[in-house]
Amino acid sequence: MAAASKKTYAKRIVVQAAADAFKKLNPAVMIGNPVMFIVEVGTLITLLLAIKPDLFVGSGTGRGYNIAVFVILLFTVLFANFAEALAEGRGKAQADTLRKTKSETTAKLVHKDGSLKQVSSTQLRKGDIIRVDTGEIIPTDGEIVEGLASIDESAITGESAPVIKEAGGDFSSVTGGTRVASDFIVVQVMTDPGESFLDRMIALVEGAKRQKTPNEIALTTLLAVLTMIFLVVIMTLVPMADYLDVKLDIATLIALLVCLIPTTIGGLLSAIGIAGMDRVTQYNVLAMSGKAVEAAGDIDTLILDKTGTITYGNRMASEFMPVSGVSLQEVTQASLRASMKDETPEGRSIVELALKLGAMPGNPADEAAEPVAFTAETRMSGLDLADGTKIRKGAVDAMKRYVAAQGGVIPGNLDETANRIAKAGGTPLAVAIGDRIFGVIYLKDTVKPGLKERFAELRGMGIKTIMCTGDNPLTAATIALEAGVDDFIAEAKPEDKIAAIRKEQQEGKLVAMTGDGTNDAPALAQADVGLAMNSGTMAAKEAANMIDLDSDPTKLLSVVAIGKQLLITRGALTTFSIANDIAKYFAIIPALFILAMPQLQSLNIMNLASPKSAILSALIFNAIIIPLLIPVAMKGVKYRAMSADRLLMRNVLMFGIGGVIVPFAGIKIIDLVLHGLRLA
Ligand SMILES: Nc1ncnc2c1ncn2[C@@H]1O[C@H](COP(=O)(O)OP(=O)(O)OP(=O)(O)O)[C@@H](O)[C@H]1O
Ligand SMILES: [K+]
Ligand SMILES: [Mg+2]
């Protein structure tokens, strides 16, 4: 964005937030924030007193003073509302942009007989089959059932490089609002109108369904209890003051109450949460709940799947290796037959390579055979021929068990051949016809760059990384070393991934999981933080509570930092707010009672001009500290990787002691100004 347009964009958000601050005065909205609700009630009472100073018995002070208290209180509430509206602003603006993407499009519905019919995108339902050609916008979310195309996803990810999507495997889901950049695809619709990814994304960035996190609710309750306690404290002041012959009018009592209740954190609490969620969005991660972001701040263990998460996931056949007694030609032919009807990208890459190397397609018995699809459970795929012959390929351990169960012999150099591939970080697939193993297929994949450094950073934060893969132990070990994870689990089936997560959780740890496959979905749901790759399957994205639009597994690092920052910011501003309130108590009380009780002189270190000036100065300070702290609430307290204890010490010192000193200085300055201007 150009600097000028960025400026007008920021200005628009500020203007909108200012207007929203007034809209939020609605008591039905304010009640959700008990501290500020009490301030609003006080504002209304002082408004009545400003109009009719003798409304209540004992409200004898002048109208000018009542008006002053009313105006300051009104600004206190408005400042708090403004903070929240400002935090919501960027998300609202982003939602508007996304809505433009969502404009109605036409879709080509494919009938059973193969004919096409033009319909509106709003008429599409789950299960419909549609065709999308080059240059067309994909009308809704779905799974590619036929074809391969490059897709421009920039409308959603902001990333302009097109991505390849294809039927079968972990890269088959497409998102409504993205565009087919080349070729064509046939897509099965996966969502009904109003439930699409884009719909959910708009609702998310807009904060339409924002729910308070359990932590936030607990803190809100604590602040409400503190408010009640101070209400009682103030009420008990009245008979004491009476006894000392000090006149405390209603406006002063309200002002005193507002000074003492935790308005600073009460006014900024929701802005802190919203801004945290917004910061996650700035990193191109969609968080489904604030709870997930907070949990990310406390993560102990990160579990990642290998293919598509740590590696790029475009596993391609690169070589066929026969075992002893078999020719290269024979293993190539067997591999082709085993993959003829395998619709996964791996399967198709095997067919392609085998044909290139001269294998012969078109065996009629194979054409008529039953396909046996790959599953993460069996870790095999192949064909069942009409004459009873079974052709299979799959993970070497699974294939060895399969062949042994039929009484077949395991070739002497099978392990050696497979291990050579595994040591290079590749995935070996053994191929068998009946009970005879012909050789091994070498599937190559590449580790994404820069992972080692990022995982080291995670280690620095005390987070353990575990790679969990369906692949064999040797391949897993090689990739684990190359990527720099702390530990790995190999030959893992989907239930093993869940078991790994449960085991960590039972030790009291908070677990994050990143994955992309349908087989990762249950684990993503089980984890405290489930981060799905946007490149992955619909099932994974639905099970997860966060989606990384850039499909970068190390993005979790940024989310962890934001989560920690969110927790620290909330803690720091709570400390600051309560320290402030205590300081204000010692600033105001001596000033109020000094005439009646000269013994208080030793406490009257502030030496404020008058009781009225003390009250007004404290109240003004109380109001303006809210907007002054908006930048801290929005940007967050800077997080540095250091031990939790040291961090806590540092923040208690900074925000606790700072929270006591700042109001003394601030109130004194305001008092001097008010006095200098002869306002009080
Ligand atoms: N099309 C296929 N046909 C036969 N076997 C396959 C096929 N694709 C993969 N396999 C084998 O099954 C194993 C598990 O596959 P999958 O990729 O689903 O595992 P995973 O649990 O998602 O692990 P990861 O994605 O971390 O590698 C692979 O390591 C491979 O040995
Ligand atoms: K206060
Ligand atoms: Mg996988």
Side-chain angles (χ1 to χ4, degrees), residues 144-323:
I144 302 181
V145 288
E146 191 193 321
L148 175 155
S150 68
I151 312 278
D152 170 6
E153 295 194 318
S154 56
I156 283 175
T157 62
E159 174 61 56
S160 53
V163 290
I164 302 290
K165 297 273 182 165
E166 56 184 327
D170 290 349
F171 297 113
S172 59
S173 78
V174 288
T175 312
T178 60
R179 203 173 53 87
V180 175
S182 77
D183 303 285
F184 80 93
I185 46 174
V186 178
V187 175
Q188 177 168 19
V189 175
M190 298 291 279
T191 51
D192 286 332
E195 295 165 8
S196 73
F197 185 71
L198 206 54
D199 288 312
R200 284 195 294 153
M201 191 165 162
I202 290 169
L204 265 171
V205 295
E206 193 168 42
K209 279 188 293 183
R210 191 183 108 86
Q211 282 178 333
K212 281 188 186 158
T213 68
N215 280 337
E216 238 177 291
I217 292 171
L219 186 53
T220 305
T221 311
L222 177 75
L223 297 180
V225 169
L226 273 177
T227 304
M228 292 325 281
I229 293 174
F230 278 117
L231 199 58
V232 172
V233 168
I234 296 295
M235 286 190 323
T236 52
L237 266 185
V238 178
M240 275 162 50
D242 255 0
Y243 177 79
L244 291 168
D245 227 13
V246 174
K247 270 209 85 53
L248 289 182
D249 57 291
I250 303 282
T252 299
L253 287 172
I254 291 173
L256 204 51
L257 175 68
V258 171
C259 283
L260 297 188
I261 62 178
T263 46
T264 313
I265 183 65
L268 294 172
L269 184 58
S270 85
I272 296 169
I274 297 167
M277 292 280 283
D278 184 56
R279 238 171 297 138
V280 172
T281 316
Q282 301 309 312
Y283 276 90
N284 246 359
V285 173
L286 290 183
M288 304 302 158
S289 69
K291 193 176 157 190
V293 178
E294 285 179 9
D298 278 334
I299 284 301
D300 303 291
T301 310
L302 168 60
I303 299 195
L304 311 103
D305 100 315
K306 174 177 73 76
T307 312
T309 302
I310 288 185
T311 67
Y312 279 112
N314 44 353
R315 275 193 297 216
M316 303 276 269
S318 77
E319 205 180 330
F320 301 108
M321 300 179 169
V323 288

Side-chain angles (χ1 to χ4, degrees), residues 407-425:
V409 279
I410 310 296
N413 67 339
L414 173 66
D415 281 341
E416 186 203 312
T417 313
N419 288 353
R420 237 186 307 145
I421 296 170
K423 273 188 198 140

Side-chain angles (χ1 to χ4, degrees), residues 265-499:
I265 183 65
L268 294 172
L269 184 58
S270 85
I272 296 169
I274 297 167
M277 292 280 283
D278 184 56
R279 238 171 297 138
V280 172
T281 316
Q282 301 309 312
Y283 276 90
N284 246 359
V285 173
L286 290 183
M288 304 302 158
S289 69
K291 193 176 157 190
V293 178
E294 285 179 9
D298 278 334
I299 284 301
D300 303 291
T301 310
L302 168 60
I303 299 195
L304 311 103
D305 100 315
K306 174 177 73 76
T307 312
T309 302
I310 288 185
T311 67
Y312 279 112
N314 44 353
R315 275 193 297 216
M316 303 276 269
S318 77
E319 205 180 330
F320 301 108
M321 300 179 169
V323 288
S324 31
V326 179
S327 72
L328 176 62
Q329 198 190 349
E330 282 172 310
V331 68
T332 306
Q333 187 67 30
S335 302
L336 173 67
R337 296 181 69 192
S339 309
M340 290 269 300
K341 297 192 176 179
D342 181 357
E343 286 302 322
T344 65
E346 287 87 348
R348 280 198 299 267
S349 79
I350 294 169
V351 170
E352 202 175 301
L353 182 68
L355 291 177
K356 206 168 90 188
L357 295 177
M360 295 304 291
N363 174 344
D366 291 358
E367 298 283 347
E370 266 309 301
V372 177
F374 166 74
T375 70
E377 277 301 319
T378 60
R379 295 189 291 137
M380 295 193 292
S381 61
L383 294 180
D384 281 354
L385 270 53
D387 66 2
T389 311
K390 293 179 193 302
I391 307 179
R392 292 287 187 279
K393 68 164 189 298
V396 177
D397 67 307
M399 287 297 291
K400 273 159 75 174
R401 252 181 319 226
Y402 165 80
V403 165
Q406 298 176 68
V409 279
I410 310 296
N413 67 339
L414 173 66
D415 281 341
E416 186 203 312
T417 313
N419 288 353
R420 237 186 307 145
I421 296 170
K423 273 188 198 140
T427 297
L429 294 185
V431 191
I433 300 179
D435 66 358
R436 180 168 175 222
I437 291 187
F438 279 67
V440 188
I441 305 167
Y442 181 176
L443 295 179
K444 235 185 198 163
D445 201 354
T446 329
V447 171
K448 294 178 185 172
L451 294 185
K452 212 166 190 151
E453 296 73 22
R454 304 284 278 171
F455 288 145
E457 273 181 69
L458 281 171
R459 201 170 302 121
M461 292 176 169
I463 298 170
K464 184 167 96 178
T465 50
I466 306 175
M467 182 181 87
C468 215
T469 175
D471 229 322
N472 70 84
L474 206 54
T475 304
T478 308
I479 300 287
L481 190 70
E482 195 176 335
V485 291
D486 294 321
D487 202 355
F488 67 87
I489 301 172
E491 285 165 1
K493 291 184 180 168
E495 59 266 28
D496 298 323
K497 297 192 185 189
I498 300 190

Side-chain angles (χ1 to χ4, degrees), residues 5-18 93 96-97 100:
S5 81
K6 212 169 194 166
K7 221 172 187 175
T8 54
Y9 170 81
K11 205 168 135 192
R12 241 190 14 237
I13 289 182
V14 170
V15 171
Q16 184 61 44
D96 287 341
T97 315
K100 287 185 193 125

